[in-house]
């Protein structure tokens, strides 16, 4: 889409599941967001088209897989994601 729409600008937010410590998950999600941004830049996307790469750790879970809750691996996997938000088109 970035090639198809050269005026498209996005932001990236990355997330983790609730396993691990809060600090580790925050660090990991930030690393994921920066990695996604670097990937897009390496594929030719101009950096000014990327309005940030923010890691939220385990702060925005998509389901009820909080620390002490039993969840399947698939449920945990739903929380490990990078979301793309269109900022400008």
């Amino acid at each position: 889409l970035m090639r198809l729409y050269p005026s498209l600008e996005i932001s990236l937010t990355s997330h983790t599941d609730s396993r691990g410590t809060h600090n580790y998950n925050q660090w990991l999600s930030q690393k994921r967001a920066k990695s996604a941004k670097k990937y897009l830049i390496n594929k030719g996307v101009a950096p000014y088209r990327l309005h940030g790469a923010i890691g939220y750790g385990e702060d925005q879970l998509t389901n009820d897989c909080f620390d002490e809750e039993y969840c399947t691996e698939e449920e945990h996997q739903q929380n490990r994601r990078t979301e793309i938000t269109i900022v400008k088109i």
Side-chain angles (χ1 to χ4, degrees):
L1 285 175
M2 299 296 285
R3 288 186 189 133
L4 188 59
Y5 299 100
S7 64
L8 182 69
E9 297 179 18
I10 63 171
S11 66
L12 303 166
T13 56
S14 291
H15 309 267
T16 65
D17 59 35
S18 64
R19 296 179 290 185
T21 67
H22 181 79
N23 287 340
Y24 175 77
N25 286 335
Q26 185 63 41
W27 171 82
L28 180 60
S29 66
Q30 188 62 47
K31 184 176 174 181
R32 284 181 180 162
K34 286 181 179 180
S35 178
K37 182 177 180 178
K38 182 178 178 182
Y39 174 83
L40 291 171
I41 291 169
N42 287 340
K43 291 293 184 179
V45 175
Y48 77 87
R49 295 175 65 195
L50 306 172
H51 288 247
I54 300 170
Y56 285 101
E58 59 187 78
D59 292 340
Q60 297 180 4
L61 300 175
T62 61
N63 53 32
D64 292 327
C65 291
F66 300 102
D67 286 340
E68 307 301 320
E69 295 294 324
Y70 171 78
C71 291
T72 66
E73 184 58 34
E74 290 79 19
E75 290 170 319
H76 282 298
Q77 189 173 2
Q78 291 173 2
N79 290 312
R80 297 188 301 265
R81 67 200 187 279
T82 297
E83 296 177 344
I84 300 167
T85 303
I86 297 173
V87 174
K88 180 180 175 185
I89 189 164

